[in-house]
Amino acid sequence: MRLSDLQVNISENKLVMSWYADDRHLQLSYTGSDALPGAADAALASCMLPAMLLGETLEVDDTFSISSTLRQNLNEFQRIFVSWFDDVQLIDIVIADNQFRQIPLTSSDAAVFFSGGVDASYSFFQLEPEIDHLIFCLGLDIQLHELARCQKALEGANKFAQHYGKNLIVIESNFRTAFNNLSARRCQIVLLITYSLALGLETLYVPASHDAKELEPFRSHPLTDPLLSNGATKVVHHGMISRVEKTISIAQSDQALAFLRVCNASDQFNCGECEKCLRTMATLAVIGKHSASLPPLDNVAKLRSVKIWTPGKYHMWHDIKHYAQLHRSEPIANVVSKLCRAYEWKQLFKQVKHQCRLLLDDILPRITK
């Protein structure tokens, strides 16, 4: 995959960064920023995971000048991802010696990603005194052609940023169009981090998706997020506490509850039916809070439809059971306890099946001799 013709231009009060990945035309627009000193690093790093998924060597033309620190970090990032995921390959990144440079620190600003979700809201409130910018992205989870959804999400982010006196930086990406054979969800958090390198910030906070006790190989991880730093921008994985604790914390803010967005399953966001929505609704019900952006959990029987399929999800629901018991919310505690028990039985059967297969593999050759 050859990256070429990197350009940064101004169009309609936006900074527009564009380049080619072979014949794919990639474009990012930035609103709320007046410079993109790390554009080349952002373009290179954002194409690394797609190249790993496609198994293609990554190389750049002479319009790129790359941070030597970033180049070293990407090697380690790749090694970890390849050890975790079967669908990516270790690739060569080819950059001429005369194209390396160190980016001078041009800003002392700090930013945090903001989607309106629980993780992002928690990190913002914990870091609020030192945060200068909120970074909001369109084109990955919300597609650019979904004009009404884009507008609704953008309005919420703008109101939140204005309420707390922060600058909102909006990034628009055409990744879905350029790489229509790849999953935007698969690449999303890595893309968002690497896009933000263009801004030349001193510190970029990435809201953690998992509690420290439930860490597992994942797209965003305390081992790999910092490896997307480029020597000027330091990437920090933040907030590794349970999702329930985060929800309880942000529920103290009317603004956070008003703009809470935990899923994209409907035109109005927050479908009220998916696992993420039901998990958040259950937590709010336990502590006696309500978000105008989510329906109330008026019938705990809704929770019976939830299927727990990963250890991370299990830990989240187990925490809800614990807090429901503490708050004497017995109906929720009872239903969630059954959900957790169903997952535990499923895992036990998997282990028994695995052990039986090992035993058979050992015994059958002896019997057939």
Side-chain angles (χ1 to χ4, degrees):
M1 184 183 296
R2 180 173 175 77
L3 309 186
S4 62
D5 196 23
L6 176 66
Q7 298 182 28
V8 177
N9 298 295
I10 299 175
S11 175
E12 298 179 354
N13 298 319
K14 297 179 182 180
L15 287 175
V16 179
M17 172 181 144
S18 64
W19 70 101
Y20 283 89
D22 293 333
D23 59 349
R24 305 176 186 90
H25 185 238
L26 288 151
Q27 182 171 293
L28 300 173
S29 69
Y30 296 77
T31 305
S33 176
D34 57 8
L36 300 176
D41 284 348
L44 171 72
S46 67
C47 286
M48 175 189 62
L49 187 52
M52 291 175 70
L53 288 164
L54 296 171
E56 298 180 4
T57 296
L58 197 58
E59 56 183 307
V60 298
D61 76 356
D62 58 9
T63 61
F64 285 74
S65 182
I66 302 297
S67 159
S68 55
T69 300
L70 177 66
R71 176 65 182 85
Q72 293 170 0
N73 285 344
L74 294 185
N75 286 339
E76 183 62 22
F77 180 99
Q78 283 197 77
R79 280 193 285 269
I80 294 173
F81 255 51
V82 167
S83 72
W84 283 351
F85 305 114
D86 294 334
D87 61 342
V88 294
Q89 300 177 45
L90 193 66
I91 62 167
D92 290 327
I93 300 178
V94 180
I95 305 169
D97 290 342
N98 62 359
Q99 290 179 264
F100 287 113
R101 57 90 175 84
Q102 289 292 346
I103 300 180
L105 184 61
T106 58
S107 170
S108 59
D109 288 359
V112 65
F113 296 138
F114 185 78
S115 62
V118 171
D119 296 329
S121 297
Y122 174 80
S123 287
F124 171 76
F125 286 118
Q126 291 295 306
L127 300 164
E128 196 267 335
E130 63 182 283
I131 294 298
D132 303 288
H133 312 278
L134 301 179
I135 298 177
F136 182 80
C137 187
L138 295 171
L140 297 179
D141 60 340
I142 305 173
Q143 299 187 53
L144 295 178
H145 69 264
E146 299 177 297
L147 299 181
R149 284 161 60 82
C150 286
Q151 187 61 32
K152 182 179 175 66
L154 194 53
E155 285 176 2
N158 261 315
K159 287 179 181 177
F160 189 91
Q162 290 172 7
H163 180 83
Y164 290 100
K166 307 300 180 181
N167 178 51
L168 182 69
I169 296 175
V170 180
I171 304 175
E172 296 177 35
S173 166
N174 75 336
F175 175 87
R176 282 177 175 266
T177 302
F179 286 100
N180 56 15
N181 59 329
L182 297 179
S183 165
R185 179 177 174 80
R186 181 73 176 81
C187 304
Q188 182 172 336
I189 189 60
V190 174
L191 291 175
L192 188 50
I193 295 171
T194 54
Y195 292 165
S196 302
L197 293 179
L199 299 166
L201 304 164
E202 181 175 16
T203 310
L204 176 65
Y205 289 101
V206 181
S209 300
H210 294 96
D211 186 353
K213 69 183 179 185
E214 63 191 39
L215 282 177
E216 57 185 348
F218 193 65
R219 299 179 296 272
S220 175
H221 194 282
L223 282 179
T224 52
D225 289 355
L227 292 173
L228 297 172
S229 303
N230 66 345
T233 298
K234 179 182 180 182
V235 179
V236 179
H237 188 88
H238 177 269
M240 289 190 295
I241 68 167
S242 79
R243 190 70 57 86
V244 174
E245 290 178 272
K246 289 181 180 181
T247 305
I248 292 171
S249 176
I250 69 169
Q252 309 311 310
S253 165
D254 292 339
Q255 289 293 318
L257 289 177
F259 300 116
L260 192 61
R261 177 168 69 91
V262 296
C263 92
N264 293 315
S266 75
D267 289 342
Q268 299 302 314
F269 307 115
N270 297 349
C271 67
E273 302 290 337
C274 71
E275 185 271 337
K276 291 180 74 174
C277 281
L278 289 171
R279 188 196 326 141
T280 308
M281 290 157 58
T283 305
L284 292 175
V286 164
I287 61 175
K289 292 285 187 177
H290 174 60
S291 166
S293 65
L294 272 168
L297 186 65
D298 50 11
N299 183 358
V300 296
K302 289 181 178 179
L303 300 179
R304 293 174 186 159
S305 66
V306 170
K307 305 297 181 188
I308 302 174
W309 64 92
T310 66
K313 295 290 188 292
Y314 169 76
H315 286 300
M316 293 177 192
W317 282 101
H318 194 274
D319 284 342
I320 292 173
K321 181 188 77 169
H322 171 69
Y323 277 91
Q325 291 169 338
L326 283 180
H327 287 264
R328 301 187 183 281
S329 182
E330 293 304 323
I332 293 177
N334 290 338
V335 174
V336 176
S337 181
K338 291 177 181 178
L339 297 178
C340 292
R341 180 59 65 188
Y343 176 81
E344 291 162 2
W345 276 109
K346 185 166 61 177
Q347 297 308 110
L348 177 60
F349 287 140
K350 277 185 178 180
Q351 292 174 17
V352 170
K353 184 178 179 180
H354 177 67
Q355 292 301 321
C356 287
R357 185 179 291 115
L358 292 177
L359 283 171
L360 286 172
D361 289 345
D362 182 52
I363 292 172
L364 284 176
R366 301 181 191 181
I367 295 175
T368 55
K369 278 184 179 179

